[in-house]
Amino acid sequence: DLTEDLALRLKVFIILAFFAGLRRREAARLTLQDIDDAIEFLLWVRRSKSKHGIRVLRLDLLMLDEHLKLLRQQVTACLDRYGSNRSLESIPLLPDETGDFCQPSFYSEKVRDLMHAIFETGSAHLLRHSFATLFLVRSDIAVHGLSNSLPSQEFDHPMFKDPAMTRFDLLLFGQGSPERRPGYRAMARPLWILQSLIGHSCPETTLSYYSHA
């Protein structure tokens, strides 16, 4: 029942929630000004309920190339439709049919219906929780390596392989190599980075409510 245009917007909304941890309102209020893929693929989250301030996410370190391709397709679609007579800051990344900002509930209801049809449960906000869990699982792999005792089929997704994990290492450790060792200190930095990415004021909130690892 989805048009091609709406299907693309819905995919982008899911990508932003699941692979970047955005709240539904944050995703719905993004504009084309908030996307910068000139060198790195940056996303500026300027409009948020959080008191943590503006967040800048390097999506090229968080996502697969196929996700970035869909984001670029959506940017191009918006530019083609609205770019001739509107500024970038006035064009929503995920507009409604009239080119205005969508209500956050529009996408969250679509996602809920989709998840219920596939999994019989779920919500848009669960995608944000899942982002936190996925981030911590990938961080553990980056710090300790992938254990041979884990079922390989569960980690056969490209998110757990190179080049995605190499880029993820860059997000966690910068240009240096990760120091693979057990213990709290090894995971303290990933938790701090996750807190910053997700827009929380303290890591306790992130660990208590937004991860299910």
Side-chain angles (χ1 to χ4, degrees):
D1 296 339
L2 300 179
T3 64
E4 184 176 345
D5 174 65
L6 178 55
L8 177 58
R9 284 185 280 141
L10 187 56
K11 287 177 183 177
V12 169
F13 178 88
I14 292 172
I15 287 170
L16 291 171
F18 187 80
F19 293 103
L22 266 65
R23 300 176 176 92
R24 62 177 189 167
R25 177 174 175 79
E26 291 172 342
R29 299 299 295 177
L30 290 173
T31 72
L32 297 195
Q33 185 189 40
D34 300 323
I35 299 285
D36 179 5
D37 66 341
I39 300 177
E40 302 160 344
F41 203 118
L42 302 179
L43 177 70
W44 295 72
V45 183
R46 308 175 199 269
R47 290 158 286 276
S48 174
K49 74 172 188 178
S50 173
K51 297 179 181 179
H52 195 65
I54 296 174
R55 314 199 299 279
V56 184
L57 311 181
R58 271 200 66 179
L59 299 187
D60 55 310
L61 303 184
L62 288 168
M63 299 180 180
L64 300 176
D65 289 339
E66 62 193 70
H67 305 140
L68 301 178
K69 181 179 178 180
L70 289 171
L71 283 165
R72 289 189 176 99
Q73 286 180 7
Q74 178 59 24
V75 170
T76 299
C78 290
L79 284 173
D80 289 345
R81 179 173 290 188
Y82 309 112
S84 62
N85 57 1
R86 292 170 62 176
S87 64
L88 294 182
E89 63 183 345
S90 71
I91 303 175
L93 176 65
L94 300 171
D96 63 15
E97 298 302 327
T98 68
D100 202 353
F101 288 96
C102 260
Q103 290 296 321
S105 59
F106 174 82
Y107 289 108
S108 62
E109 288 172 4
K110 294 289 185 185
V111 169
R112 181 197 61 202
D113 293 344
L114 180 63
M115 294 180 73
H116 277 250
I118 299 173
F119 306 112
E120 299 183 353
T121 187
S123 66
H125 195 66
L126 182 61
L127 298 177
R128 177 170 156 88
H129 285 242
S130 299
F131 164 76
T133 297
L134 176 63
F135 185 94
L136 292 177
V137 170
R138 297 181 78 202
S139 297
D140 187 71
I141 293 172
V143 172
H144 304 302
L146 188 59
S147 171
N148 292 330
S149 63
L150 294 174
S152 58
Q153 67 272 17
E154 303 231 347
F155 295 92
D156 200 33
H157 192 275
M159 289 292 287
F160 301 108
K161 298 180 178 180
D162 285 332
M165 284 303 297
T166 297
R167 296 196 300 234
F168 188 72
D169 279 354
L170 183 61
L171 174 66
L172 289 182
F173 307 105
Q175 298 294 338
S177 300
E179 187 176 344
R180 304 189 187 280
R181 65 189 189 279
Y184 170 78
R185 291 183 62 191
M187 290 304 293
R189 178 171 174 80
L191 183 57
W192 176 80
I193 293 174
L194 175 59
Q195 171 207 335
S196 300
L197 291 173
I198 213 166
H200 286 158
S201 58
C202 63
E204 289 79 9
T205 301
T206 305
L207 196 58
S208 297
Y209 297 104
Y210 281 80
S211 64
H212 305 278

